[in-house]
Amino acid sequence: MRVCPFCGTENEVFFKFCLGCGADLDDALGSTAAEEAPAAELPAPLVASTAAVMPPAEESIEEPLPSTLVQHKPSTDTSHRPRVERRRETASRRLPAASGRLVLILEDGTDGAVYDLAPERTVIGREGADICFPHDDFLALRHAEFVFSGNQLVLTPLATTNGVFVQVSHEVELRNGDVFRIGQELLRFELLAEVIKAPFAGPDDAVRLGSPIPEGAWGRLGQLIAPATWGAVYLLGGSDIYLGRERGDITFPGDGFVSGLHAVVMQREDRYFLKDLGSSNGTYYRLSRAMPLRRGALVLAGQQLFRVEH
């Protein structure tokens, strides 16, 4: 029902005018409703709360049970979980950090491949070694061994035919039977006093004939052209014997890898030394025993030339 606000007459809801006084009910009721309608309250201004806001609690996500156990009471046996952790540890475990490396020197003098040295020992060779060069026929299967001893890196030659050579960076003492290399010349150092101690008797016990030792000669250099074959032999006498391609007491004019003045063999009382004279390609001494290596040392094994960094 619609009640007229002027005369109080009740009218049907669809009447536009009041039956009692004829007033327009739409206008009368509309204005009255607007006057009587309470004013809408404005929302209170937002005030930043000074209370600490706690993050929502994290939901606990339980590992789902296998489908075959859904109908049963969950098992308290968690023996399967350590296996998962062990797999994660294995996947994240790293190999021990390398303690040094070998840098391969190419024929043009630039750096080539780099090979890490293990913290304890590393063997190089042709096959079955830690670092292999299968196409280098001058290498033995296991040719040389690099071993860290404290803060030193020690190079040990293994039982090989061609040996391991280290570049001469300072005077190296020579002993009877030592071998060194300048250019492409492989030279064996021998003391005559040791040579004449060798038996000279033939199979019939006769003493072999030989030329007398020249006065002042104390040693010799033999040119090795094959494992058991000597080429030229050079007698050593005096205190300093110079080797080179163009100058010196012993020259190798046909070897373009030998510098004009390359190296010197020195006598100091009863001791003998080898020294490089700033040659372009260096002088290399064959190791007969283990030797500590300095940083930046050059090592020649087979046809591979390395720079040692550690």
Side-chain angles (χ1 to χ4, degrees), residues 76-216:
T76 59
D77 181 12
T78 59
S79 59
H80 64 289
R81 293 182 181 176
R83 289 198 295 271
V84 175
E85 294 299 321
R86 282 197 294 271
R87 286 198 297 270
R88 290 175 181 173
E89 290 175 1
T90 302
S92 62
R93 185 181 299 129
R94 295 181 178 179
L95 295 175
S99 298
R101 62 182 190 170
L102 299 179
V103 181
L104 186 66
I105 307 299
L106 304 180
E107 292 183 1
D108 60 0
T110 60
D111 290 355
V114 177
Y115 304 92
D116 289 336
L117 295 175
E120 295 181 356
R121 66 183 64 236
T122 303
V123 176
I124 64 171
R126 194 172 74 249
E127 294 180 12
D130 300 307
I131 301 174
C132 295
F133 300 89
H135 303 297
D136 190 340
D137 293 333
F138 293 97
L139 285 174
L141 298 181
R142 294 170 61 85
H143 198 94
E145 182 180 59
F146 294 86
V147 177
F148 281 94
S149 177
N151 294 327
Q152 287 188 324
L153 177 60
V154 179
L155 173 59
T156 302
L158 303 179
T160 63
T161 300
N162 295 315
V164 183
F165 294 79
V166 176
Q167 186 183 36
V168 175
S169 59
H170 55 278
E171 293 182 4
V172 175
E173 185 169 4
L174 291 174
R175 300 180 183 181
N176 184 62
D178 280 349
V179 175
F180 63 92
R181 178 173 177 170
I182 62 171
Q184 293 183 321
E185 309 303 321
L186 196 60
L187 304 172
R188 178 183 173 93
F189 173 80
E190 290 185 345
L191 295 173
L192 294 181
E194 299 295 328
V195 172
I196 62 177
K197 290 180 181 179
F200 275 80
D204 56 356
D205 291 332
V207 177
R208 294 181 183 273
L209 291 173
S211 300
I213 298 176
E215 184 178 356

Side-chain angles (χ1 to χ4, degrees), residues 11 25 27 106 109 112 149 168 172 176-177 196 223 249 256 272 292 298:
N11 300 275
L25 294 176
D27 292 339
L106 304 180
S149 177
V168 175
V172 175
N176 184 62
I196 62 177
Q223 185 184 39
D249 303 292
Y272 307 90
L298 295 182

Side-chain angles (χ1 to χ4, degrees), residues 234-250:
Y234 308 93
L235 290 177
L236 306 177
S239 58
D240 297 329
I241 299 91
Y242 290 91
L243 314 176
R245 187 180 73 252
E246 301 168 351
R247 294 176 290 157
D249 303 292
I250 301 173

